[in-house]
Amino acid sequence: MTVQRTLSIIKPDATNRNLTGRINTVFEENGLRIVAQKRIRLTIEQAKAFYKEHDGKPFFDGLVQFMASAPVVVQVLEGEDAIAQNRRLMGATDPSQAEEGTIRKMFALSKGENSVHGSDSETSAAREISFFFNALEITG
Ligand code: CMP
């Protein structure tokens, strides 16, 4: 096990319902430290660039529209095995498949409006963190 950093996004369905604090509590009570955080409104172009690996999929346009529809909270989470730990805490993409106690089980509305995003590998964590933050903005 090693200390890792991962990129997390609290999505528009969650910021609209004022859930940022409750989601952050799940992270903080389960071994993850928020070492950078900002609330921003993505443009359509920024959302397309962030999710470019999904370009061409049937849900891509809806995903981009949704992510630009209201503010998001982008954050860097740090901790032991942070990438996998965050994915455990989030639960399955589809909330109907997510385990009890996970963020998506508790809060997500649907597969699209699923409250949180988390990097899925070390490679994507590095790309996604640098998409939103520079080194001076991250402090343990
Ligand atoms: P996320 O972890 O942010 O990564 C890609 C997102 O695409 C995913 O969460 C979902 O919100 C969304 N997504 C994936 N599959 C579907 C789908 N079949 N329908 C709608 N949205 C999807």
Side-chain angles (χ1 to χ4, degrees):
M1 297 249 283
T2 49
V3 174
Q4 293 176 325
R5 287 176 173 173
T6 190
L7 191 279
S8 165
I9 306 178
I10 301 177
K11 295 186 180 186
D13 67 282
T15 62
N16 278 337
R17 288 177 290 147
N18 224 13
L19 293 171
T20 300
R22 290 174 71 185
I23 291 172
N24 280 348
T25 296
V26 175
F27 298 142
E28 293 185 336
E29 288 184 345
N30 290 280
L32 296 176
R33 178 176 294 274
I34 301 162
V35 295
Q37 175 167 257
K38 56 193 173 190
R39 182 176 167 105
I40 58 175
R41 177 81 182 255
L42 290 176
T43 65
I44 293 284
E45 288 312 312
Q46 288 166 337
K48 280 184 183 170
F50 181 77
Y51 279 117
K52 65 181 183 191
E53 72 186 85
H54 297 298
D55 195 355
K57 294 184 183 167
F59 59 84
F60 182 69
D61 288 346
L63 173 62
V64 166
Q65 292 291 335
F66 167 61
M67 292 300 290
S69 68
V72 296
V73 175
V74 294
Q75 47 194 188
V76 181
L77 307 178
E78 183 180 87
E80 288 286 339
D81 212 12
I83 296 167
Q85 174 66 350
N86 185 34
R87 292 181 72 79
R88 278 191 288 274
L89 295 174
M90 290 193 300
T93 303
D94 182 343
S96 69
Q97 310 289 316
E99 279 187 45
E100 287 298 330
T102 62
I103 292 168
R104 285 167 170 161
K105 185 68 175 185
M106 290 189 282
F107 302 124
L109 301 175
S110 66
K111 202 169 183 178
E113 299 194 25
N114 65 353
S115 301
V116 281
H117 165 85
S119 307
D120 65 5
S121 66
E122 287 189 41
T123 303
S124 55
R127 180 185 88 82
E128 293 177 2
I129 290 170
S130 64
F131 188 93
F132 289 111
F133 295 98
N134 66 49
L136 291 176
E137 295 173 311
I138 305 170
T139 175

Short mmCIF file of all heavy atoms in Angstrom, two decimals, residues 84-139:
data_model
loop_
_atom_site.label_atom_id
_atom_site.label_comp_id
_atom_site.label_asym_id
_atom_site.label_seq_id
_atom_site.Cartn_x
_atom_site.Cartn_y
_atom_site.Cartn_z
N ALA A 84 -8.22 3.38 -5.29
CA ALA A 84 -9.18 2.28 -5.04
C ALA A 84 -10.09 2.60 -3.87
O ALA A 84 -11.29 2.27 -3.90
CB ALA A 84 -8.41 0.99 -4.78
N GLN A 85 -9.56 3.24 -2.84
CA GLN A 85 -10.39 3.58 -1.68
C GLN A 85 -11.53 4.51 -2.09
O GLN A 85 -12.68 4.31 -1.69
CB GLN A 85 -9.53 4.21 -0.58
CG GLN A 85 -10.29 4.74 0.63
CD GLN A 85 -10.99 3.65 1.45
OE1 GLN A 85 -11.09 2.50 1.06
NE2 GLN A 85 -11.53 4.05 2.59
N ASN A 86 -11.22 5.52 -2.90
CA ASN A 86 -12.28 6.43 -3.35
C ASN A 86 -13.32 5.67 -4.18
O ASN A 86 -14.52 5.90 -4.05
CB ASN A 86 -11.70 7.58 -4.15
CG ASN A 86 -12.75 8.60 -4.52
OD1 ASN A 86 -13.70 8.84 -3.77
ND2 ASN A 86 -12.63 9.19 -5.69
N ARG A 87 -12.88 4.76 -5.02
CA ARG A 87 -13.84 4.01 -5.84
C ARG A 87 -14.71 3.09 -4.98
O ARG A 87 -15.89 2.91 -5.27
CB ARG A 87 -13.10 3.26 -6.96
CG ARG A 87 -12.52 4.28 -7.97
CD ARG A 87 -11.81 3.62 -9.11
NE ARG A 87 -12.71 2.98 -10.05
CZ ARG A 87 -13.42 3.62 -10.98
NH1 ARG A 87 -13.37 4.94 -11.07
NH2 ARG A 87 -14.18 2.94 -11.81
N ARG A 88 -14.13 2.55 -3.92
CA ARG A 88 -14.95 1.76 -2.98
C ARG A 88 -16.01 2.65 -2.32
O ARG A 88 -17.17 2.27 -2.20
CB ARG A 88 -14.07 1.14 -1.88
CG ARG A 88 -13.36 -0.14 -2.27
CD ARG A 88 -12.74 -0.82 -1.04
NE ARG A 88 -11.57 -0.11 -0.52
CZ ARG A 88 -10.32 -0.27 -0.96
NH1 ARG A 88 -10.05 -1.12 -1.92
NH2 ARG A 88 -9.33 0.42 -0.42
N LEU A 89 -15.58 3.83 -1.88
CA LEU A 89 -16.52 4.72 -1.19
C LEU A 89 -17.61 5.24 -2.13
O LEU A 89 -18.75 5.44 -1.71
CB LEU A 89 -15.76 5.92 -0.58
CG LEU A 89 -14.77 5.56 0.53
CD1 LEU A 89 -13.99 6.81 0.95
CD2 LEU A 89 -15.47 4.95 1.74
N MET A 90 -17.27 5.44 -3.42
CA MET A 90 -18.27 5.92 -4.39
C MET A 90 -19.31 4.85 -4.67
O MET A 90 -20.49 5.15 -4.82
CB MET A 90 -17.60 6.31 -5.72
CG MET A 90 -16.75 7.56 -5.66
SD MET A 90 -16.33 8.15 -7.31
CE MET A 90 -15.45 6.75 -7.99
N GLY A 91 -18.89 3.60 -4.84
CA GLY A 91 -19.80 2.54 -5.26
C GLY A 91 -19.94 2.49 -6.77
O GLY A 91 -19.34 3.28 -7.51
N ALA A 92 -20.76 1.56 -7.24
CA ALA A 92 -20.91 1.32 -8.68
C ALA A 92 -21.47 2.55 -9.39
O ALA A 92 -22.22 3.33 -8.81
CB ALA A 92 -21.82 0.13 -8.91
N THR A 93 -21.10 2.69 -10.70
CA THR A 93 -21.57 3.82 -11.51
C THR A 93 -23.09 3.94 -11.46
O THR A 93 -23.63 5.04 -11.33
CB THR A 93 -21.13 3.60 -12.99
OG1 THR A 93 -19.71 3.46 -13.01
CG2 THR A 93 -21.53 4.78 -13.86
N ASP A 94 -23.76 2.81 -11.59
CA ASP A 94 -25.23 2.79 -11.54
C ASP A 94 -25.66 2.64 -10.08
O ASP A 94 -25.38 1.61 -9.46
CB ASP A 94 -25.72 1.60 -12.37
CG ASP A 94 -27.23 1.53 -12.44
OD1 ASP A 94 -27.91 2.17 -11.61
OD2 ASP A 94 -27.72 0.81 -13.32
N PRO A 95 -26.33 3.63 -9.51
CA PRO A 95 -26.66 3.55 -8.08
C PRO A 95 -27.52 2.35 -7.70
O PRO A 95 -27.45 1.88 -6.56
CB PRO A 95 -27.40 4.86 -7.81
CG PRO A 95 -27.76 5.42 -9.13
CD PRO A 95 -26.79 4.88 -10.12
N SER A 96 -28.27 1.81 -8.67
CA SER A 96 -29.08 0.63 -8.34
C SER A 96 -28.20 -0.60 -8.12
O SER A 96 -28.64 -1.59 -7.53
CB SER A 96 -30.11 0.37 -9.43
OG SER A 96 -29.49 -0.07 -10.61
N GLN A 97 -26.94 -0.53 -8.59
CA GLN A 97 -25.99 -1.63 -8.40
C GLN A 97 -25.02 -1.35 -7.25
O GLN A 97 -24.19 -2.20 -6.92
CB GLN A 97 -25.14 -1.83 -9.66
CG GLN A 97 -25.90 -1.94 -10.97
CD GLN A 97 -26.64 -3.25 -11.06
OE1 GLN A 97 -26.10 -4.29 -10.73
NE2 GLN A 97 -27.89 -3.18 -11.47
N ALA A 98 -25.09 -0.17 -6.67
CA ALA A 98 -24.09 0.24 -5.67
C ALA A 98 -24.39 -0.40 -4.31
O ALA A 98 -25.54 -0.61 -3.94
CB ALA A 98 -24.07 1.76 -5.54
N GLU A 99 -23.31 -0.69 -3.58
CA GLU A 99 -23.47 -1.30 -2.26
C GLU A 99 -24.01 -0.30 -1.24
O GLU A 99 -23.75 0.90 -1.34
CB GLU A 99 -22.10 -1.80 -1.76
CG GLU A 99 -21.72 -3.14 -2.33
CD GLU A 99 -20.44 -3.67 -1.68
OE1 GLU A 99 -20.32 -3.61 -0.44
OE2 GLU A 99 -19.58 -4.14 -2.43
N GLU A 100 -24.72 -0.84 -0.25
CA GLU A 100 -25.21 -0.02 0.86
C GLU A 100 -24.04 0.75 1.49
O GLU A 100 -22.96 0.20 1.65
CB GLU A 100 -25.82 -0.91 1.96
CG GLU A 100 -27.16 -1.52 1.62
CD GLU A 100 -28.25 -0.48 1.38
OE1 GLU A 100 -28.19 0.61 1.98
OE2 GLU A 100 -29.15 -0.76 0.57
N GLY A 101 -24.30 1.99 1.84
CA GLY A 101 -23.29 2.78 2.53
C GLY A 101 -22.38 3.56 1.60
O GLY A 101 -21.63 4.42 2.06
N THR A 102 -22.43 3.25 0.29
CA THR A 102 -21.59 4.00 -0.63
C THR A 102 -22.26 5.34 -0.98
O THR A 102 -23.47 5.51 -0.81
CB THR A 102 -21.34 3.21 -1.93
OG1 THR A 102 -22.59 2.97 -2.58
CG2 THR A 102 -20.65 1.88 -1.63
N ILE A 103 -21.42 6.26 -1.46
CA ILE A 103 -21.93 7.61 -1.79
C ILE A 103 -23.02 7.52 -2.85
O ILE A 103 -24.07 8.18 -2.73
CB ILE A 103 -20.76 8.50 -2.26
CG1 ILE A 103 -19.80 8.77 -1.10
CG2 ILE A 103 -21.27 9.80 -2.87
CD1 ILE A 103 -18.47 9.38 -1.50
N ARG A 104 -22.79 6.71 -3.87
CA ARG A 104 -23.80 6.66 -4.94
C ARG A 104 -25.08 5.97 -4.46
O ARG A 104 -26.17 6.35 -4.87
CB ARG A 104 -23.20 5.99 -6.17
CG ARG A 104 -22.24 6.93 -6.92
CD ARG A 104 -21.43 6.20 -7.94
NE ARG A 104 -20.69 7.09 -8.83
CZ ARG A 104 -19.66 6.70 -9.56
NH1 ARG A 104 -19.22 5.45 -9.49
NH2 ARG A 104 -19.05 7.56 -10.35
N LYS A 105 -24.96 4.98 -3.60
CA LYS A 105 -26.17 4.35 -3.06
C LYS A 105 -26.97 5.37 -2.24
O LYS A 105 -28.19 5.42 -2.32
CB LYS A 105 -25.78 3.15 -2.18
CG LYS A 105 -26.95 2.37 -1.66
CD LYS A 105 -27.65 1.64 -2.78
CE LYS A 105 -28.76 0.74 -2.27
NZ LYS A 105 -29.34 -0.03 -3.39
N MET A 106 -26.23 6.19 -1.47
CA MET A 106 -26.92 7.14 -0.60
C MET A 106 -27.50 8.32 -1.37
O MET A 106 -28.59 8.80 -1.04
CB MET A 106 -25.95 7.67 0.48
CG MET A 106 -25.57 6.62 1.52
SD MET A 106 -24.66 7.34 2.90
CE MET A 106 -23.03 7.54 2.17
N PHE A 107 -26.77 8.80 -2.39
CA PHE A 107 -27.13 10.11 -2.96
C PHE A 107 -27.42 10.13 -4.46
O PHE A 107 -28.09 11.06 -4.92
CB PHE A 107 -25.99 11.11 -2.69
CG PHE A 107 -25.65 11.29 -1.24
CD1 PHE A 107 -24.37 11.10 -0.77
CD2 PHE A 107 -26.64 11.67 -0.34
CE1 PHE A 107 -24.06 11.28 0.57
CE2 PHE A 107 -26.34 11.86 1.01
CZ PHE A 107 -25.04 11.65 1.47
N ALA A 108 -26.90 9.19 -5.25
CA ALA A 108 -27.02 9.33 -6.72
C ALA A 108 -28.46 9.17 -7.16
O ALA A 108 -29.24 8.41 -6.57
CB ALA A 108 -26.12 8.32 -7.40
N LEU A 109 -28.79 9.85 -8.26
CA LEU A 109 -30.15 9.82 -8.80
C LEU A 109 -30.29 8.81 -9.93
O LEU A 109 -31.36 8.27 -10.17
CB LEU A 109 -30.53 11.22 -9.32
CG LEU A 109 -30.48 12.34 -8.27
CD1 LEU A 109 -30.76 13.69 -8.94
CD2 LEU A 109 -31.49 12.08 -7.16
N SER A 110 -29.20 8.59 -10.67
CA SER A 110 -29.23 7.72 -11.84
C SER A 110 -27.79 7.44 -12.26
O SER A 110 -26.85 7.99 -11.69
CB SER A 110 -29.97 8.40 -13.00
OG SER A 110 -29.22 9.53 -13.42
N LYS A 111 -27.64 6.62 -13.30
CA LYS A 111 -26.31 6.32 -13.83
C LYS A 111 -25.60 7.59 -14.33
O LYS A 111 -24.38 7.72 -14.22
CB LYS A 111 -26.46 5.33 -14.98
CG LYS A 111 -25.24 4.52 -15.29
CD LYS A 111 -25.63 3.42 -16.26
CE LYS A 111 -24.46 2.52 -16.55
NZ LYS A 111 -24.84 1.42 -17.45
N GLY A 112 -26.35 8.50 -14.90
CA GLY A 112 -25.78 9.76 -15.38
C GLY A 112 -25.58 10.75 -14.24
O GLY A 112 -24.49 11.29 -14.05
N GLU A 113 -26.64 10.97 -13.48
CA GLU A 113 -26.57 11.93 -12.37
C GLU A 113 -26.17 11.16 -11.12
O GLU A 113 -26.98 10.88 -10.23
CB GLU A 113 -27.92 12.64 -12.21
CG GLU A 113 -28.29 13.41 -13.46
CD GLU A 113 -29.44 14.39 -13.28
OE1 GLU A 113 -29.67 14.85 -12.15
OE2 GLU A 113 -30.09 14.70 -14.27
N ASN A 114 -24.88 10.81 -11.08
CA ASN A 114 -24.42 9.86 -10.05
C ASN A 114 -23.48 10.48 -9.02
O ASN A 114 -22.68 9.79 -8.41
CB ASN A 114 -23.82 8.62 -10.70
CG ASN A 114 -22.57 8.90 -11.49
OD1 ASN A 114 -22.19 10.05 -11.66
ND2 ASN A 114 -21.90 7.85 -11.96
N SER A 115 -23.62 11.79 -8.83
CA SER A 115 -23.10 12.53 -7.66
C SER A 115 -21.59 12.72 -7.59
O SER A 115 -21.13 13.76 -7.11
CB SER A 115 -23.58 11.91 -6.33
OG SER A 115 -24.99 11.91 -6.27
N VAL A 116 -20.80 11.71 -7.98
CA VAL A 116 -19.35 11.82 -7.84
C VAL A 116 -18.63 11.15 -9.01
O VAL A 116 -19.14 10.21 -9.62
CB VAL A 116 -18.85 11.18 -6.52
CG1 VAL A 116 -19.07 12.10 -5.33
CG2 VAL A 116 -19.46 9.82 -6.29
N HIS A 117 -17.44 11.65 -9.27
CA HIS A 117 -16.49 11.01 -10.19
C HIS A 117 -15.21 10.75 -9.43
O HIS A 117 -14.82 11.56 -8.59
CB HIS A 117 -16.20 11.93 -11.39
CG HIS A 117 -14.99 11.50 -12.17
ND1 HIS A 117 -15.06 10.55 -13.16
CD2 HIS A 117 -13.68 11.85 -12.07
CE1 HIS A 117 -13.84 10.34 -13.63
NE2 HIS A 117 -12.99 11.13 -13.00
N GLY A 118 -14.53 9.66 -9.76
CA GLY A 118 -13.21 9.41 -9.20
C GLY A 118 -12.30 8.78 -10.24
O GLY A 118 -12.76 7.94 -11.03
N SER A 119 -11.04 9.15 -10.23
CA SER A 119 -10.08 8.59 -11.19
C SER A 119 -10.06 7.07 -11.07
O SER A 119 -10.18 6.51 -9.97
CB SER A 119 -8.67 9.11 -10.89
OG SER A 119 -8.65 10.52 -10.82
N ASP A 120 -9.84 6.38 -12.21
CA ASP A 120 -9.90 4.92 -12.19
C ASP A 120 -8.53 4.24 -12.25
O ASP A 120 -8.47 3.01 -12.24
CB ASP A 120 -10.82 4.40 -13.31
CG ASP A 120 -10.30 4.70 -14.70
OD1 ASP A 120 -9.18 5.24 -14.83
OD2 ASP A 120 -11.02 4.38 -15.66
N SER A 121 -7.45 5.01 -12.33
CA SER A 121 -6.10 4.42 -12.39
C SER A 121 -5.08 5.50 -12.04
O SER A 121 -5.42 6.69 -12.01
CB SER A 121 -5.82 3.90 -13.81
OG SER A 121 -5.75 5.01 -14.70
N GLU A 122 -3.83 5.07 -11.83
CA GLU A 122 -2.78 6.06 -11.55
C GLU A 122 -2.59 6.99 -12.74
O GLU A 122 -2.36 8.18 -12.58
CB GLU A 122 -1.47 5.35 -11.22
CG GLU A 122 -1.48 4.71 -9.85
CD GLU A 122 -0.11 4.20 -9.43
OE1 GLU A 122 0.89 4.88 -9.68
OE2 GLU A 122 -0.07 3.10 -8.85
N THR A 123 -2.69 6.42 -13.94
CA THR A 123 -2.50 7.24 -15.14
C THR A 123 -3.60 8.29 -15.25
O THR A 123 -3.33 9.48 -15.50
CB THR A 123 -2.51 6.35 -16.40
OG1 THR A 123 -1.50 5.37 -16.25
CG2 THR A 123 -2.25 7.15 -17.67
N SER A 124 -4.86 7.88 -15.04
CA SER A 124 -5.92 8.88 -15.16
C SER A 124 -5.89 9.85 -13.98
O SER A 124 -6.19 11.04 -14.15
CB SER A 124 -7.30 8.25 -15.36
OG SER A 124 -7.59 7.34 -14.37
N ALA A 125 -5.48 9.40 -12.80
CA ALA A 125 -5.36 10.34 -11.68
C ALA A 125 -4.36 11.45 -12.01
O ALA A 125 -4.64 12.63 -11.76
CB ALA A 125 -4.94 9.59 -10.41
N ALA A 126 -3.23 11.09 -12.57
CA ALA A 126 -2.22 12.10 -12.91
C ALA A 126 -2.78 13.09 -13.94
O ALA A 126 -2.64 14.31 -13.80
CB ALA A 126 -0.96 11.43 -13.43
N ARG A 127 -3.42 12.56 -14.98
CA ARG A 127 -3.99 13.45 -16.02
C ARG A 127 -5.09 14.33 -15.43
O ARG A 127 -5.13 15.54 -15.68
CB ARG A 127 -4.58 12.63 -17.17
CG ARG A 127 -5.19 13.50 -18.26
CD ARG A 127 -5.88 12.74 -19.37
NE ARG A 127 -7.27 12.45 -19.14
CZ ARG A 127 -8.29 13.30 -19.35
NH1 ARG A 127 -8.06 14.53 -19.80
NH2 ARG A 127 -9.53 12.94 -19.12
N GLU A 128 -5.97 13.74 -14.65
CA GLU A 128 -7.14 14.47 -14.16
C GLU A 128 -6.76 15.51 -13.10
O GLU A 128 -7.34 16.60 -13.06
CB GLU A 128 -8.17 13.47 -13.61
CG GLU A 128 -8.75 12.61 -14.73
CD GLU A 128 -9.72 11.55 -14.24
OE1 GLU A 128 -9.99 11.48 -13.03
OE2 GLU A 128 -10.23 10.79 -15.09
N ILE A 129 -5.80 15.19 -12.23
CA ILE A 129 -5.36 16.18 -11.24
C ILE A 129 -4.74 17.38 -11.96
O ILE A 129 -5.07 18.53 -11.67
CB ILE A 129 -4.37 15.55 -10.24
CG1 ILE A 129 -5.11 14.57 -9.32
CG2 ILE A 129 -3.66 16.64 -9.42
CD1 ILE A 129 -4.21 13.71 -8.45
N SER A 130 -3.89 17.12 -12.95
CA SER A 130 -3.24 18.24 -13.63
C SER A 130 -4.20 18.99 -14.56
O SER A 130 -3.94 20.14 -14.93
CB SER A 130 -2.00 17.78 -14.40
OG SER A 130 -2.37 16.91 -15.43
N PHE A 131 -5.33 18.38 -14.89
CA PHE A 131 -6.36 19.09 -15.67
C PHE A 131 -6.92 20.27 -14.87
O PHE A 131 -7.22 21.32 -15.42
CB PHE A 131 -7.49 18.11 -16.03
CG PHE A 131 -8.52 18.65 -16.98
CD1 PHE A 131 -8.41 18.44 -18.35
CD2 PHE A 131 -9.62 19.37 -16.50
CE1 PHE A 131 -9.36 18.95 -19.22
CE2 PHE A 131 -10.58 19.87 -17.37
CZ PHE A 131 -10.44 19.66 -18.74
N PHE A 132 -7.05 20.10 -13.55
CA PHE A 132 -7.70 21.12 -12.72
C PHE A 132 -6.76 21.88 -11.79
O PHE A 132 -7.11 22.98 -11.36
CB PHE A 132 -8.79 20.48 -11.86
CG PHE A 132 -10.00 20.02 -12.63
CD1 PHE A 132 -10.28 18.68 -12.78
CD2 PHE A 132 -10.85 20.96 -13.21
CE1 PHE A 132 -11.40 18.26 -13.48
CE2 PHE A 132 -11.98 20.55 -13.92
CZ PHE A 132 -12.26 19.20 -14.06
N PHE A 133 -5.63 21.31 -11.42
CA PHE A 133 -4.79 21.91 -10.38
C PHE A 133 -3.34 21.99 -10.82
O PHE A 133 -2.84 21.09 -11.51
CB PHE A 133 -4.85 21.07 -9.10
CG PHE A 133 -6.22 21.02 -8.46
CD1 PHE A 133 -7.06 19.94 -8.69
CD2 PHE A 133 -6.66 22.05 -7.63
CE1 PHE A 133 -8.33 19.89 -8.11
CE2 PHE A 133 -7.92 21.99 -7.04
CZ PHE A 133 -8.76 20.92 -7.28
N ASN A 134 -2.64 23.05 -10.36
CA ASN A 134 -1.19 23.05 -10.49
C ASN A 134 -0.58 22.69 -9.12
O ASN A 134 -1.28 22.67 -8.10
CB ASN A 134 -0.67 24.38 -11.04
CG ASN A 134 -0.90 25.53 -10.09
OD1 ASN A 134 -0.58 25.44 -8.91
ND2 ASN A 134 -1.46 26.63 -10.59
N ALA A 135 0.70 22.42 -9.12
CA ALA A 135 1.34 21.89 -7.91
C ALA A 135 1.19 22.82 -6.71
O ALA A 135 1.06 22.37 -5.56
CB ALA A 135 2.82 21.62 -8.19
N LEU A 136 1.17 24.13 -6.94
CA LEU A 136 1.08 25.09 -5.84
C LEU A 136 -0.28 25.08 -5.16
O LEU A 136 -0.43 25.57 -4.04
CB LEU A 136 1.33 26.52 -6.36
CG LEU A 136 2.75 26.81 -6.82
CD1 LEU A 136 2.82 28.22 -7.40
CD2 LEU A 136 3.73 26.67 -5.65
N GLU A 137 -1.28 24.51 -5.83
CA GLU A 137 -2.64 24.50 -5.27
C GLU A 137 -2.93 23.25 -4.43
O GLU A 137 -4.03 23.11 -3.93
CB GLU A 137 -3.66 24.58 -6.41
CG GLU A 137 -3.61 25.88 -7.18
CD GLU A 137 -4.51 25.87 -8.39
OE1 GLU A 137 -4.46 24.90 -9.18
OE2 GLU A 137 -5.26 26.84 -8.56
N ILE A 138 -1.96 22.35 -4.35
CA ILE A 138 -2.17 21.10 -3.63
C ILE A 138 -1.24 21.07 -2.43
O ILE A 138 -0.02 21.20 -2.58
CB ILE A 138 -1.87 19.87 -4.53
CG1 ILE A 138 -2.70 19.96 -5.83
CG2 ILE A 138 -2.16 18.57 -3.80
CD1 ILE A 138 -2.30 18.93 -6.88
N THR A 139 -1.82 20.94 -1.23
CA THR A 139 -0.97 20.88 -0.06
C THR A 139 -1.53 19.90 0.97
O THR A 139 -2.71 19.95 1.32
CB THR A 139 -0.77 22.27 0.58
OG1 THR A 139 -0.02 22.10 1.78
CG2 THR A 139 -2.07 22.94 0.91
#
